[in-house]
Amino acid sequence: MRAVTITRRGGPEVVQVREVAEPSPGPGQVRIAVRAAGLNFADLMARMGLYPDAPKLPAVVGYEVSGVVDEVGPGVSSPAVGDRVLALVRFGGQAEKVVLPATNALPMPDGMTFEQGAALPVAYLTAYHSLFRVGHLSAGRSVLVHMAAGGVGTAALQLCATVPGVTVFGTASAAKHAVLREEGCHHPIDYRTIDYEAEVQRLTGGRGVDLVLDALGGQDWKKGYRLLRPGGMLVTYGFANIAAGPRRSVVRAARQLLSVPRFSPIALMDDNRGVAGVNMGHLWGEPEMVLGEFRALLGLFQEGRIRPRIDSVFRFEEAARAHERLQGRASVGKVLLVP
Ligand SMILES: NC(=O)c1ccc[n+]([C@@H]2O[C@H](COP(=O)([O-])OP(=O)(O)OC[C@H]3O[C@@H](n4cnc5c(N)ncnc54)[C@H](OP(=O)(O)O)[C@@H]3O)[C@@H](O)[C@H]2O)c1
């Protein structure tokens, strides 16, 4: 079968389609004929050698797929061959076929396209877990979402809109602000031309916000912490600042790591602020938690309250261009790969 392979560490050109052996489902597993696979920032970082969780290269990555079950292993009664499913997978998703535990393959709601099915898992689970499980978002609160036009960002904006009276601040390049407003962001901020920290302080009359979702990292975590109101929470879930160019730079990485703040429990206490982290890739040992959140999201989709925003769909052969698009800050919503 064909699989999008990161052949070695480097720029987008190291991403190539290769022939690899087709996997077979073992006991309790199903095989999915992939119709669409999500591309995530983690895939770019894996390609650059900046993602500690990545498999050893050469490797086929990909954390999320939609498709049709084409074979089931011994002991599997559901899903069945022919069912349309979507799933989180621990790598291997960017291939024509992928094998996973049957319990991880959830039925796709009627009316959901394969593209929407592949765009939903990582972005919405990350946003949902950060906002609700960790951030305890409730009516009337305020949230600052960074990378607000991206995959996780647009998911977070839509999820904030499901809670009454939440005020949303979002950072993104100016060209994406119309989309931010469309997705429910009240205050789009162009972080490239203005100091977003000063702008949020100005817009809130110096009070700050209840929740900051920050996958930028480094210096931005310091700013996010300073922006918290009493009782507020900074949720860290990525370090995009470390991957600012197409290739790994040891100097940039070292500079970014040095700018990571240290939080003391005594200061947290005295400031009445919290800091929490989210890494969905480290929640494989908590299937009930993740599947519960997944089902809640599918319910919101069926109610028409969330709608994955798809930026672009690339054929496997064009995967290098897909990497360029995501990394070049051109995308709005999710970038997908199709066999
Ligand atoms: N912890 C977890 O479990 C988890 C899960 C999923 C994603 N994440 C993290 O969440 C973040 C968003 O992921 P995503 O896949 O949804 O990507 P994305 O937000 O769709 O990424 C692209 C957008 O991010 C903005 N951006 C800011 N700094 C950037 C940089 N240094 N390089 C490239 N783009 C940058 C750009 O928009 P603007 O120019 O408009 O700002 C760009 O269009 C990433 O940091 C990722 O690692 C974490």
Side-chain angles (χ1 to χ4, degrees):
M1 67 168 186
R2 289 150 57 247
V4 175
T5 309
I6 302 178
T7 55
R8 59 192 156 82
R9 199 173 78 204
E13 70 286 351
V14 306
V15 182
Q16 290 161 16
V17 174
R18 283 196 176 165
E19 277 296 323
V20 301
E22 211 170 80
S24 294
Q29 294 182 322
V30 293
R31 187 173 71 183
I32 299 176
V34 173
R35 294 294 188 83
L39 183 70
N40 286 290
F41 217 82
D43 307 334
L44 314 180
M45 296 185 77
R47 193 201 74 225
M48 296 168 77
L50 290 170
Y51 189 51
D53 294 345
K56 209 168 150 289
L57 303 181
V60 180
V61 295
Y63 267 127
E64 56 192 342
V65 296
S66 65
V68 177
V69 176
D70 82 337
E71 200 179 321
V72 302
V76 175
S77 53
S78 165
V81 169
D83 285 357
R84 285 166 17 107
V85 293
L86 75 173
L88 280 177
V89 288
R90 190 142 168 74
F91 309 118
Q94 292 166 9
E96 285 181 306
K97 309 254 166 125
V98 67
V99 161
L100 62 145
T103 45
N104 286 8
L106 297 184
M108 274 173 64
D110 293 338
M112 179 183 271
T113 65
F114 286 116
E115 276 84 7
Q116 288 172 329
L120 187 140
V122 172
Y124 283 80
L125 280 166
T126 306
Y128 188 96
H129 187 82
S130 301
L131 288 171
F132 299 126
R133 172 96 194 180
V134 176
H136 306 289
L137 181 63
S138 60
R141 299 253 168 104
S142 53
V143 186
L144 168 62
V145 179
H146 286 297
M147 307 169 89
V152 180
T154 51
L157 299 185
Q158 292 178 14
L159 288 169
C160 284
T162 66
V163 183
V166 170
T167 304
V168 186
F169 303 79
T171 65
S173 308
K176 303 174 185 175
H177 285 193
V179 171
L180 259 56
R181 284 197 192 87
E182 215 175 281
E183 297 290 6
C185 176
H186 304 96
H187 301 288
I189 302 170
D190 179 7
Y191 69 106
R192 296 209 206 187
T193 54
I194 57 173
D195 174 0
Y196 71 81
E197 183 184 358
E199 183 64 0
V200 172
Q201 292 291 18
R202 187 186 70 78
L203 289 165
T204 59
R207 296 181 75 207
V209 293
D210 296 299
L211 197 55
V212 175
L213 297 196
D214 190 323
L216 295 168
Q219 194 68 32
D220 288 292
W221 285 332
K222 290 184 184 155
K223 291 188 179 191
Y225 184 79
R226 289 198 295 258
L227 277 172
L228 294 176
R229 295 181 60 188
M233 173 92 81
L234 165 67
V235 183
T236 68
Y237 67 102
F239 205 161
N241 284 336
I242 215 166
R247 278 177 196 74
R248 184 165 83 162
S249 153
V250 175
V251 176
R252 181 179 53 235
R255 202 177 290 141
Q256 284 296 334
L257 285 168
L258 285 173
S259 66
V260 171
R262 305 269 179 271
F263 295 107
S264 133
I266 296 171
L268 294 176
M269 174 177 73
D270 289 344
D271 293 345
N272 275 300
R273 293 172 180 156
V275 180
V278 169
N279 185 335
M280 297 308 290
H282 291 186
L283 285 176
W284 292 96
E286 297 286 347
E288 274 143 41
M289 185 191 296
V290 176
L291 288 172
E293 294 176 353
F294 215 149
R295 289 196 190 94
L297 286 164
L298 294 178
L300 288 171
F301 178 88
Q302 276 170 308
E303 290 164 16
R305 301 174 78 193
I306 57 171
R307 208 42 85 202
R309 187 164 197 122
I310 292 154
D311 171 75
S312 46
V313 182
F314 290 88
R315 288 182 294 110
F316 276 6
E317 287 72 16
E318 304 169 314
R321 281 184 48 217
H323 274 238
E324 278 166 12
R325 182 158 179 88
L326 184 58
Q327 196 150 22
R329 306 184 182 212
S331 54
V332 173
K334 285 289 291 190
V335 177
L336 302 177
L337 299 170
V338 291

